[in-house]
Amino acid sequence: MTNTNLTRAAVAAMVDHTLLKPEATRADAEATVAEGLRLGAYSICLSPSMLPIDTGAAKTCVVAGFPSGKHHSLVKAAEARLAVDTGADEVDMVIDVGAAVDGRYDEVFADVLTVREAVGRDVVLKVIVESAVLLDAAGEDCLTQVCRRAAEAGADFVKTSTGFHPAGGASVRAIEVMRAAVGPNVRIKASGGIRTAEFAAELIAAGADRLGLSGTRTVLAGFPE
């Protein structure tokens, strides 16, 4: 695999172990929690309808405005606040990607700020920007501007992807652009299409601080004990 000093435990501590399939059942969510705890994942990322749920020693992460981002900002804010009130520690919200492609960056800022204010400062807020779409449709400057506006609005993380868009998921290029945009004070979550240890290691080397994985066990198996 890619040359790295990362251990399996160290990478697991960067993972949001994720189940967001629309057909997922309560039993599936409970199994995902159990697997994430066995693997040492940092958090368990679920749909908000799965709350309340006991994630044990792991953080509880939910999504808002998922997966399209086309929800009204107030709806995203209400969804996020309800999730926090029912046990969420972290919220991954989706921006209006079309607004970003159009260059309506003030709307992106307002969208993020609305959710930030709804959940408060103690909740970790990750902002999903669909980096593959922005890079393909509008280029690196668009991705840069969106990440900067998200950071200005109070995002703790900018996140590559929902994993549901046909344009694709995380990429090394996206992580590099995002890191250059937000500097060291805002973290980056890579998600979407991360299926091997080699790719995970490349994303971490490029600047990713957190990984969103559904196939966590397979990815971690490629790192040394």
Side-chain angles (χ1 to χ4, degrees):
M1 60 166 290
T2 301
N3 183 25
T4 176
N5 294 320
L6 291 168
T7 65
R8 192 173 302 172
V11 176
M14 301 172 69
V15 170
D16 292 346
H17 185 53
T18 302
L19 175 68
L20 296 170
K21 294 179 179 179
E23 69 273 21
T25 65
R26 171 64 59 169
D28 294 331
E30 291 172 350
T32 296
V33 170
E35 182 179 44
L37 291 174
R38 285 195 302 270
L39 295 171
Y42 180 82
S43 84
I44 312 298
C45 187
L46 301 168
S47 300
S49 60
M50 294 299 182
L51 300 183
I53 191 169
D54 183 2
T55 59
K59 299 291 186 181
T60 302
C61 174
V62 300
V63 291
F66 195 90
S68 72
K70 288 297 185 183
H71 311 63
H72 193 285
S73 295
L74 293 176
V75 173
K76 295 179 193 178
E79 183 178 33
R81 182 68 249 175
L82 179 59
V84 171
D85 289 343
T86 50
D89 302 296
E90 303 190 351
V91 174
D92 292 19
M93 66 165 287
V94 189
I95 65 165
D96 182 339
V97 181
V101 171
D102 275 348
R104 303 196 315 269
Y105 304 129
D106 286 346
E107 293 181 23
V108 174
F109 172 87
D111 194 31
V112 177
L113 183 62
T114 300
V115 177
R116 173 84 276 172
E117 292 180 339
V119 300
R121 292 298 319 185
D122 292 337
V123 174
V124 172
L125 179 61
K126 308 189 201 88
V127 176
I128 306 172
V129 301
E130 291 293 16
S131 56
V133 177
L134 301 189
L135 287 172
D136 289 348
E140 291 186 2
D141 183 65
C142 177
L143 178 56
T144 296
Q145 294 302 322
V146 166
C147 289
R148 287 178 177 169
R149 296 315 305 273
E152 290 168 5
D156 297 296
F157 283 78
V158 285
K159 174 180 171 182
T160 58
S161 324
T162 60
F164 283 74
H165 200 286
S171 68
V172 169
R173 177 189 176 203
I175 298 298
E176 290 173 343
V177 173
M178 294 164 76
R179 174 54 67 207
V182 300
N185 296 324
V186 174
R187 290 169 283 175
I188 297 174
K189 177 176 173 180
S191 66
I194 307 170
R195 299 184 179 90
T196 67
E198 289 84 355
F199 188 35
E202 290 173 7
L203 294 168
I204 293 168
D209 303 286
R210 192 83 66 85
L211 303 174
L213 305 178
S214 55
T216 306
R217 181 177 298 277
T218 299
V219 172
L220 292 180
F223 289 94
E225 294 264 9

